[in-house]
Amino acid sequence: MTDFRAALALCLVVLLSLVAQPLGAQPVRAQDARFGDANMAVALYADGAPVAGEEWMLALRFRPSAPEWHGYYANPGDAGQGMDLTLDLPDGWTMGEPIYPVPERLVIAGLMNHIYEGDYTVLVPVRVGSDAAALDAPLTGFVAYLACTDRICVPQDARLEATRGGDFDRWRAEVAPLLDREGGFEIVGETLRVAIPLPADLALSDPHIFVRQSDLGGGARVDYAAPQRFVRKGNLLVADIPLAGAAPEGSGLASLSGIIGFGDGEGLRFDAVPQSISIDGAMPLASEAELPSLWLLILASFAGGLLLNIMPCVFPILSLKALALAKAGGDERAARHDALAYMAGVVLACAVLGALVMTLRAAGQQVGWAFQLQESGVVLALFALTAAITANFLGLFELPGFAISGRGPSTSGSFATGLLAAFVATPCTGPFMALALGAALVLAPLEGMAIFVALGVGLALPFVAVGFVPRLRRLLPRPGPWLARFRAWMALPMGLTVVALGWLVWRLGGWTFVGLAALIAILVVAGLVVLLARGNRLGWAALVAALLLGWWSASQPLAREVSAADSLLDPQPFSESALAEARASGRPVFVWFTADWCVTCKVNESVAIEREATRAAFEEAGVVTLRGDWTRRDEAIASFLADQGAAGVPLYLWYPPGSEARQLPQVLTPQALPDLARDPSPAAAPGSDR
């Protein structure tokens, strides 16, 4: 890697020195080759004689002296140099854009180059003028380009004189043909979205877009090494291409062109104009064989929601919900209405959150499940809410009809409890959820919504069953004096949730942010206590003050950066280039994605990752570790998660040497990682999703 970068730097120095020469002081026709074309020879051919007023096709034929030398596309990618061609044309003659074959992708040290290996031809159209006297004159020119291997780059140049002849039929077949219809493009945040008109039945195995423009305006450019995401919408192929930096509004890019490659050297040239592109109803490009059936995804989402009932996020609320149902006694009608109202609240919350995620992703935002916890305002609201629930459990105030009050059920209270339970459950992810929710974000909107609704039904099912089956209600303990003590004890896990959220607030904004969050929570609790006990205006004033302070706090930029927590495994921060470099080392690679608000992540870290046994096994096997922290929004991590089919965190990937990633289960056992390190073969990924 070091040799490659050093060679690349040397090449750039040489090229800059060429640019610095006063070439403008001498005529183009007098320009002589300085470096020659020994490493990659070039010859100029003409397709017959020029005809006045018509297009005349020329061809630059490049021939490397050895297989290790390669040339570059017009946009070389992260490194390299496109060719610079000048033709000595008579007055009235014009040279068109050179036409290239489909390039190949070469990734070295996390940098992607667009290259050609072996012999290749670039066609150059020329519009011939009407000057008949110039038709018989020889055509000359000058070309400068770069020839590289994986370790060294050498500038090349040559004086040209066109020779009539050459295999133009074959060369025309080798370049990428132009689509007969224009496509569209738009820049949304840090994503370039391109829509290309292609028949829906055209099979695509490995599409990739090579954008011709290196500057998209305002200094933004394509992040060449980042994965490109493709979806189909009828006869449109839509690609989301990550950018290295967001393009400013009004950057003025009037057109876009490039080549879409299909693999094996096949592809098409395209031109695109600015337009708004919607991907509502788009389908993932993956074949149906690569994705489970919709019914299996719905079943996985349902099972994931069912398991959320035992997660620590929602257990205190659900425990009191069960007791509220028990108070319904023999009133079958009231119990069923209560259960249905609770389910309606849960399903509505899951559906709204799912719809919001899909809408934001369709607009080009890289977000995932529980994305709202990356927003400071939502974290403040959740902190104040859990503090108020804790105060309620301790008996500081009562909410009539609300399940967490410990009183009997009511339809409106149960609906609100369902909304609350689903919202509080979002930091938790469990088994089965990753596959289902990841697929929901790339499926058609109705299919995606079905998966989110199934998640809500699974979360609500136990209490629907209790409401509809009297025998289950009779299994619940009968209300009595012990209920007040139990309710107070439930303040303990909810209070621990407040502490955990307080830690997240500190991680996001430091002690100043913690102080603001504490003041908001105090105002909320005090306002509810006064309002429900006395009903006077002082309670309303405290609640309004908490709302205004929360709104102001959420609107302030968080200057504090989230620093990575210490780890026994000493991981590198995740990036595409760091992952490419780690995999190129020939050693096993373990990558995990986490967030401070993800309860499952923290449990896994304490149980399986941050263990001395794991550290010793990884050290013995030479495992390279990378960690992606998604506590705050990170477009690169969100894009990578989407490419892995994951809707959120946690995500654990194991790369055996020379093999592709294997997804590990979302719940890790203590011995899972040490066992992988001792047997790092591709098959040694117990319980992997793929």
Side-chain angles (χ1 to χ4, degrees):
M1 178 184 71
T2 303
D3 293 340
F4 173 78
R5 288 180 173 171
L8 179 61
L10 176 61
C11 294
L12 293 177
V13 170
V14 173
L15 290 170
L16 288 173
S17 67
L18 289 175
V19 174
Q21 297 298 321
L23 298 178
Q26 45 187 316
V28 172
R29 295 178 187 273
Q31 188 171 348
D32 294 322
R34 300 184 178 189
F35 303 101
D37 60 356
N39 297 300
M40 183 175 291
V42 61
L44 180 64
Y45 294 90
D47 187 14
V51 178
E54 296 188 5
E55 184 180 83
W56 187 33
M57 190 63 72
L58 307 177
L60 285 166
R61 184 69 173 168
F62 293 90
R63 295 177 180 272
S65 61
E68 62 264 23
W69 293 100
H70 59 253
Y72 290 94
Y73 176 54
N75 179 353
D78 285 313
Q81 178 70 35
M83 87 173 172
D84 184 10
L85 173 66
T86 303
L87 296 178
D88 305 326
L89 297 176
D91 292 340
W93 295 35
T94 56
M95 182 181 80
E97 287 278 359
I99 305 171
Y100 287 81
V102 179
E104 301 175 53
R105 288 170 276 171
L106 174 65
V107 179
I108 299 178
L111 303 177
M112 178 179 285
N113 301 330
H114 308 150
I115 68 164
Y116 299 103
E117 294 182 322
D119 297 356
Y120 68 98
T121 304
V122 179
L123 299 182
V124 183
V126 172
R127 175 59 59 181
V128 179
S130 58
D131 184 3
L135 297 179
D136 296 327
L139 180 68
T140 59
F142 179 84
V143 64
Y145 53 101
L146 198 62
C148 293
T149 70
D150 290 352
R151 301 177 64 85
I152 189 171
C153 291
V154 178
Q156 303 277 269
D157 57 10
R159 283 289 301 162
L160 303 170
E161 183 169 344
T163 301
R164 294 182 187 178
D167 193 350
F168 273 85
D169 289 339
R170 178 165 67 91
W171 296 341
R172 283 188 173 92
E174 289 176 348
V175 299
L178 180 65
L179 275 169
D180 58 358
R181 293 175 55 200
E182 281 187 331
F185 75 94
E186 65 174 336
I187 296 177
V188 183
E190 296 185 1
T191 299
L192 170 65
R193 177 166 292 169
V194 183
I196 301 174
L198 289 175
D201 58 356
L202 178 63
L204 302 175
S205 60
D206 184 26
H208 187 86
I209 290 182
F210 302 90
V211 176
R212 187 169 185 130
Q213 288 88 342
S214 58
D215 186 355
L216 302 180
R221 63 178 183 84
V222 170
D223 186 352
Y224 301 107
Q228 299 178 356
R229 175 175 172 264
F230 290 86
V231 296
R232 282 194 183 277
K233 186 176 181 180
N235 289 323
L236 277 181
L237 179 68
V238 182
D240 279 351
I241 306 173
L243 299 179
E249 293 186 9
S251 57
L253 186 63
S255 63
L256 187 81
S257 61
I259 294 176
I260 176 167
F262 306 144
D264 298 325
E266 299 294 326
L268 296 166
R269 285 182 293 134
F270 68 88
D271 292 318
V273 296
Q275 62 180 230
S276 178
I277 303 170
S278 170
I279 59 172
D280 290 340
M283 298 292 293
L285 188 60
S287 66
E288 292 184 2
E290 294 175 337
L291 283 176
S293 70
L294 177 61
W295 289 112
L296 284 178
L297 293 171
I298 289 175
L299 181 61
S301 182
F302 172 81
L306 196 62
L307 290 174
L308 279 180
N309 287 281
I310 60 174
M311 301 298 279
C313 303
V314 293
F315 181 74
I317 295 174
L318 301 185
S319 297
L320 291 181
K321 173 63 186 169
L323 295 177
L325 276 172
K327 285 189 174 184
D331 190 346
E332 299 290 334
R333 186 169 179 272
R336 291 175 180 177
H337 285 181
D338 175 77
L340 291 175
Y342 172 78
M343 184 172 70
V346 171
V347 171
L348 179 62
C350 290
V352 169
L353 286 172
L356 189 56
V357 171
M358 291 192 294
T359 301
L360 291 174
R361 289 180 70 87
Q365 299 294 314
Q366 295 292 346
V367 297
W369 184 248
F371 75 97
Q372 66 273 20
L373 295 177
Q374 297 169 329
E375 303 295 334
S376 60
V378 175
V379 175
L380 285 173
L382 198 55
F383 179 82
L385 177 62
T386 52
I389 294 173
T390 303
N392 175 263
F393 286 171
L394 291 172
L396 296 183
F397 61 87
E398 298 290 342
L399 291 174
F402 213 67
I404 60 174
S405 68
R407 296 184 177 181
S410 71
T411 301
S412 59
S414 295
F415 178 79
T417 304
L419 291 174
L420 175 64
F423 183 73
V424 172
T426 53
C428 292
T429 54
F432 309 112
M433 286 181 62
L435 175 65
L437 298 187
L441 300 182
V442 296
L443 290 173
L446 288 179
E447 294 173 337
M449 287 303 301
I451 291 174
F452 286 111
V453 168
L455 175 69
V457 172
L459 178 59
L461 182 64
F463 297 100
V464 174
V466 171
F468 276 78
V469 181
R471 181 175 298 178
L472 292 178
R473 289 203 307 279
R474 287 195 292 269
L475 294 176
L476 296 174
R478 293 298 177 186
W482 67 270
L483 181 58
R485 293 192 298 273
F486 177 80
R487 178 181 166 191
W489 275 107
M490 284 296 99
L492 179 60
M494 187 55 66
L496 292 176
T497 303
V498 175
V499 173
L501 284 168
W503 175 75
L504 175 58
V505 169
W506 172 76
R507 292 277 287 162
L508 286 173
W511 289 111
T512 301
F513 202 43
V514 171
L516 289 171
L519 179 57
I520 292 168
I522 291 171
L523 288 172
V524 168
V525 172
L528 289 172
V529 169
V530 173
L531 184 65
L532 295 172
R534 302 178 183 177
N536 60 24
R537 296 179 180 178
L538 187 59
W540 284 113
L543 292 177
V544 171
L547 180 64
L548 293 176
L549 182 59
W551 176 82
W552 178 83
S553 301
S555 65
Q556 301 304 304
L558 296 177
R560 176 188 173 91
E561 291 294 330
V562 178
S563 58
D566 293 335
S567 171
L568 286 174
L569 304 186
D570 192 24
Q572 304 174 44
F574 170 81
S575 68
E576 294 276 359
S577 59
L579 176 58
E581 184 176 344
R583 295 184 63 191
S585 69
R587 298 158 61 187
V589 180
F590 174 63
V591 188
W592 82 93
F593 295 88
T594 182
D596 288 342
W597 40 261
C598 172
V599 177
T600 308
C601 303
K602 297 307 173 186
V603 171
N604 281 333
E605 286 164 19
S606 63
V607 169
I609 297 176
E610 302 297 341
R611 297 178 65 242
E612 186 60 35
T614 302
R615 185 203 63 77
F618 276 23
E619 187 174 286
E620 182 179 351
V623 178
V624 181
T625 57
L626 291 88
R627 176 174 56 188
D629 192 325
W630 208 34
T631 301
R632 290 191 188 176
R633 292 186 62 180
D634 186 306
E635 298 287 341
I637 290 178
S639 177
F640 186 85
L641 291 174
D643 292 327
Q644 297 297 318
V649 292
L651 175 67
Y652 305 106
L653 299 177
W654 178 261
Y655 291 85
S659 299
E660 293 303 313
R662 305 296 302 270
Q663 281 194 21
L664 306 184
Q666 283 193 303
V667 177
L668 299 176
T669 61
Q671 283 302 119
L673 296 178
D675 288 347
L676 277 177
R678 295 188 186 100
D679 183 15
S681 62
S688 62
D689 295 335
R690 352 181 128 183

